[in-house]
Amino acid sequence: MSWFRRRTEPEPEPVHLPNPDEAAVAFWQAWFELLPHVSAALGDGEPYRVEGELGAMVAAMHPDLEFSLERGHRAIYALVITSREDPKLRPYTDAWIKAAPSEDMIWEYHDSVPAVPDPTQVTVNLGPRRIRLADVRVVAQVSDGLVDVAVYHPEFANLEPAARQTMTFLPLDVTLGERLAGERLGRVETASAEPEGTIGLLDLRDLVHAMGGDRA
């Protein structure tokens, strides 16, 4: 299971953006103060209890950064803060990951959304809704060396536009990893009804890896 939290409304630009290195140091100081509350909230299965405070800490570095609290690959939990491959934000995530503490059995840290071993086992919490990525269907078409995709989920009809957009891109990120998705995917669309000829996320991963000669 993964718990994701991303901003769905723009926040006002601060009068003065902090230096990325200073912002990173301030974040990690605040993180260690908040960590007991984060651990308690995750242990109780209630990550929303700390989303507001954690979101404010991330926005203090830069308001356009996005974050998630997830199940880890090497540790129990993972904290992800991502620039969404925006060059103007990369100095902030670069400084943040450079200043990150060493990983341990409880926490690991990522400056981009990592691929998960099996995205079909992931359930995303969006407010009161629990969305299984196993139900995501994709139409994929290779064009000029890139893969154009249309993404469908049965819950799309019940989501607000911002949440629907999140759930269009997030399954691709956790299937391929955010950086590989940025390199190999071309046009990405949201399908309001299930198209013909769809494939699952694992089939999409195989297709993208085969195009680049990657090992799965």
Side-chain angles (χ1 to χ4, degrees):
M1 180 185 297
S2 294
W3 296 297
F4 293 94
R5 170 69 164 85
R6 296 188 175 190
R7 290 188 301 101
T8 57
E9 297 181 359
E11 296 185 16
E13 193 77 10
V15 175
H16 172 69
L17 288 171
N19 172 280
D21 293 327
E22 294 175 352
V25 170
F27 176 90
W28 288 115
Q29 289 175 342
W31 168 256
F32 284 116
E33 294 176 2
L34 185 64
L35 187 54
H37 302 286
V38 174
S39 299
L42 294 180
D44 292 342
E46 299 177 346
Y48 61 84
R49 292 189 343 219
V50 293
E51 285 177 352
E53 291 173 274
L54 185 53
M57 289 160 50
V58 173
M61 290 196 291
H62 195 290
D64 293 333
L65 293 172
E66 298 183 358
F67 74 95
S68 64
L69 290 172
E70 309 177 14
R71 290 290 188 187
H73 299 172
R74 301 176 297 274
I76 298 176
Y77 301 118
L79 172 63
V80 180
I81 296 183
T82 172
S83 65
R84 302 294 298 178
E85 299 301 298
D86 185 336
K88 82 173 187 295
L89 301 179
R90 284 296 294 274
Y92 292 89
T93 52
D94 288 348
W96 176 81
I97 199 67
K98 182 179 179 181
S102 299
E103 295 182 355
D104 54 30
M105 295 179 61
I106 307 298
W107 285 100
E108 61 189 68
Y109 310 100
H110 301 277
D111 60 348
S112 65
V113 178
V116 303
D118 186 353
T120 64
Q121 298 299 311
V122 173
T123 297
V124 177
N125 293 342
L126 282 179
R129 299 192 181 279
R130 293 167 53 82
I131 301 177
R132 298 172 64 248
L133 297 195
D135 298 328
V136 171
R137 304 297 297 174
V138 178
V139 172
Q141 181 175 359
V142 178
S143 175
D144 296 326
L146 297 174
V147 182
D148 295 333
V149 297
V151 180
Y152 171 77
H153 192 285
E155 282 289 332
F156 276 176
N158 300 319
L159 298 179
E160 297 295 326
R164 194 179 305 125
Q165 182 179 31
T166 293
M167 285 306 305
T168 297
F169 286 91
L170 189 148
L172 305 175
D173 287 344
V174 300
T175 298
L176 303 174
E178 182 180 350
R179 290 184 179 162
L180 184 62
E183 293 172 2
R184 303 281 175 83
L185 298 184
R187 186 173 58 203
V188 177
E189 298 180 348
T190 303
S192 57
E194 184 171 2
E196 295 182 0
T198 60
I199 59 175
L201 292 175
L202 293 176
D203 291 329
L204 175 66
R205 175 187 286 171
D206 290 342
L207 172 64
V208 171
H209 283 177
M211 285 182 56
D214 303 324
R215 293 182 179 179

